[in-house]
Amino acid sequence: MADWPGVALEHISDALFVTDRAHRIVWLNRLSEKIFGITAEEGRGRPVAEVTGMTPLTPLLDDLFEQGVPPEPAFEKVEAVIKFSGRRYFFKVAVAPVVEKAGFEGALVQLTDITRFYEMEKFKGDYISIISHEFRTPLTSVVLGVEMLRQGLLGELNKRGEEVFDAIGGDCHRLTKLVDNLLELSKIESGTIYIQAEPVDAAELVREAVRPLKIQAEKKGITLVTEIPGAVPPVAADFNKTVWVLTNLIGNALRYTEAGGTITVRVRVGTWRLFFSVKDSGCGIPPEYRDQIFEKFIQVRGPAKRKGGAGLGLAIAKEIVTAHGGEIWVESEVGTGSTFTFSFPLFRREGIMG
Ligand SMILES: Nc1ncnc2c1ncn2[C@@H]1O[C@H](COP(=O)(O)OP(=O)(O)OP(=O)(O)O)[C@@H](O)[C@H]1O
Ligand SMILES: [Mg+2]
């Protein structure tokens, strides 16, 4: 009788290996033979990391065997230059336990070729980065020109003229912010920014973020308060980037809260982590959006969408917080308000603790 699953796996569009507990190859499929330039006979008995040249497979398999059967397969994106062909691949790697009736225990290693997808993503990122750069220089001179006209440096303006240039000034400001955010995001996505984590005073971070927004809050009739405990241990953070995250969360809270509302910026100390939260009494976020808004260009549909902005702030904030080894999330009730919280590891003399 034909071995249908076996035949199917031979022809699947992923490279597959089955290994024993010592990571030695027991079986491999045709695509593995083709990509890595070996026959099944040549591969059998050799460590999978050596045959593929992919060193990250070793810790992945070690973890799998150490932890027993994981609830879900472990995924990781791995770059590999194949010795045999010299080609550069990007694989999504999944490892899953193999347990047979006879008691054989091993692992299934599945390599999905995501090279094309990865290259497309990279191209998109480079494209955005180039366009943003090209926008920046002429935009700077437009901003300067508009500013000069508004101030009447090039001649008196009548009332109508002032209004027009005020509107253009506002649009220029939004466009500049959009270009800056796109550049920031493309830098993060291409891995060209690094987090310089230093011991930082959380109270100082909050003060720095709140100061420039106090006036804006007053103008809008919103109370902006801070709650910081007396003694706060230092947090391992990149000062400017963390201020950026806080500023954006408070900026959002200001944008989505009506006059008479309150925004509270709070610092709470946990055992290993420090929590920053920004609570508002604004319009709230519907449940189906609470994860999505951390993705780029996602904005809640409805009247609030018309409030300007491009939907990039939270995506950048998430990248920055994650790069610090922290997490960010939101709790919210529609009509009552939202609380955005992010955690950072505390700074310890021995290093950063998770
Ligand atoms: N405090 C808040 N209250 C209600 N909705 C919010 C709040 N913060 C964010 N949102 C929703 O999440 C969306 C995404 O926020 P994000 O900061 O990423 O983008 P944005 O503020 O719209 O634009 P940008 O930050 O690029 O200027 C917002 O458009 C809004 O719909
Ligand atoms: Mg925002």
Side-chain angles (χ1 to χ4, degrees):
M1 201 175 68
D3 168 19
W4 291 115
V7 172
L9 291 181
E10 279 295 352
H11 294 283
I12 202 168
S13 60
D14 291 342
L16 299 177
F17 294 90
V18 174
T19 75
D20 61 15
R21 282 188 75 102
H23 306 189
R24 284 185 303 248
I25 296 170
V26 177
W27 176 86
L28 53 91
N29 73 349
R30 288 205 192 147
L31 191 61
S32 299
E33 291 186 308
K34 198 170 143 218
I35 291 180
F36 297 99
I38 41 151
T39 63
E41 287 79 51
E42 285 164 353
R44 222 168 276 139
R46 285 171 60 198
V48 66
E50 180 200 302
V51 167
T52 57
M54 292 163 70
T55 41
L57 288 179
T58 306
L60 267 179
L61 289 170
D62 280 343
D63 281 354
L64 179 77
F65 292 129
E66 226 165 77
Q67 290 164 11
V69 182
E72 282 179 39
F75 287 109
E76 199 156 297
K77 198 185 81 208
V78 174
E79 182 184 356
V81 179
I82 313 298
K83 249 199 234 138
F84 150 73
S85 58
R87 273 190 64 188
R88 197 168 68 124
Y89 280 87
F90 286 88
F91 292 112
K92 189 179 89 183
V93 181
V95 294
V98 177
V99 183
E100 280 192 337
K101 280 199 208 85
F104 166 75
E105 255 188 84
L108 174 71
V109 179
Q110 180 183 5
L111 307 177
T112 307
D113 181 3
I114 53 164
T115 314
R116 273 181 67 85
F117 171 77
Y118 181 87
E119 280 169 354
M120 277 302 290
E121 280 291 297
K122 188 169 174 314
F123 171 74
K124 239 168 53 190
D126 291 350
Y127 187 70
I128 288 179
S129 162
I130 290 167
I131 296 218
S132 319
H133 268 296
E134 292 297 320
F135 262 71
R136 208 182 214 176
T137 319
L139 195 54
T140 311
S141 61
V142 172
V143 168
L144 279 173
V146 169
E147 202 46 46
M148 285 165 82
L149 284 160
R150 274 167 95 185
Q151 290 172 2
L153 295 176
L154 304 177
E156 282 276 307
L157 283 177
N158 60 22
K159 190 92 188 77
R160 184 81 191 110
E162 269 176 28
E163 279 168 18
V164 169
F165 280 109
D166 275 351
I168 297 176
D171 282 345
C172 279
H173 176 73
R174 265 209 292 282
L175 207 51
T176 309
K177 195 184 141 205
L178 172 65
V179 167
D180 285 348
N181 280 351
L182 281 171
L183 269 176
E184 187 72 16
L185 200 63
S186 64
K187 270 194 253 166
I188 294 175
E189 285 180 340
S190 65
T192 50
I193 67 154
Y194 295 99
I195 300 295
Q196 292 278 343
E198 297 169 317
V200 168
D201 176 10
E204 183 61 31
L205 282 171
V206 172
R207 270 196 296 275
E208 187 72 19
V210 166
R211 195 181 303 133
L213 295 169
K214 270 262 178 210
I215 302 163
Q216 218 173 305
E218 261 166 41
K219 266 196 200 153
K220 240 195 121 174
I222 292 172
T223 318
L224 178 54
V225 290
T226 55
E227 283 177 17
I228 303 165
V232 185
V235 69
D238 184 310
F239 189 87
N240 289 333
K241 294 200 173 66
T242 312
V243 168
W244 193 99
V245 173
L246 278 166
T247 309
N248 266 269
L249 294 181
I250 304 167
N252 279 350
L254 280 167
R255 192 184 269 167
Y256 300 106
T257 304
E258 298 297 324
T262 306
I263 297 170
T264 313
V265 185
R266 185 175 291 148
V267 172
R268 197 168 60 75
V269 185
T271 316
W272 301 111
R273 333 201 114 228
L274 201 110
F275 300 90
F276 294 88
S277 62
V278 178
K279 181 179 179 198
D280 66 53
S281 58
C283 61
I285 299 158
E288 65 273 23
Y289 278 100
R290 283 174 207 159
D291 286 332
Q292 281 192 53
I293 48 170
F294 293 98
E295 285 165 34
K296 50 190 165 176
F297 305 120
I298 301 283
Q299 296 180 299
V300 175
R301 280 180 188 280
K305 197 166 188 287
R306 278 186 264 112
K307 300 210 172 196
L312 287 175
L314 289 176
I316 298 172
K318 186 177 177 173
E319 294 281 355
I320 293 176
V321 171
T322 313
H324 277 88
E327 279 177 275
I328 183 165
W329 66 95
V330 63
E331 291 150 291
S332 181
E333 204 170 310
V334 174
T336 308
S338 315
T339 307
F340 282 84
T341 307
F342 64 95
S343 64
F344 267 13
L346 290 176
F347 188 89
R348 306 265 156 167
R349 197 156 291 163
E350 317 84 80
I352 299 167
M353 307 288 284

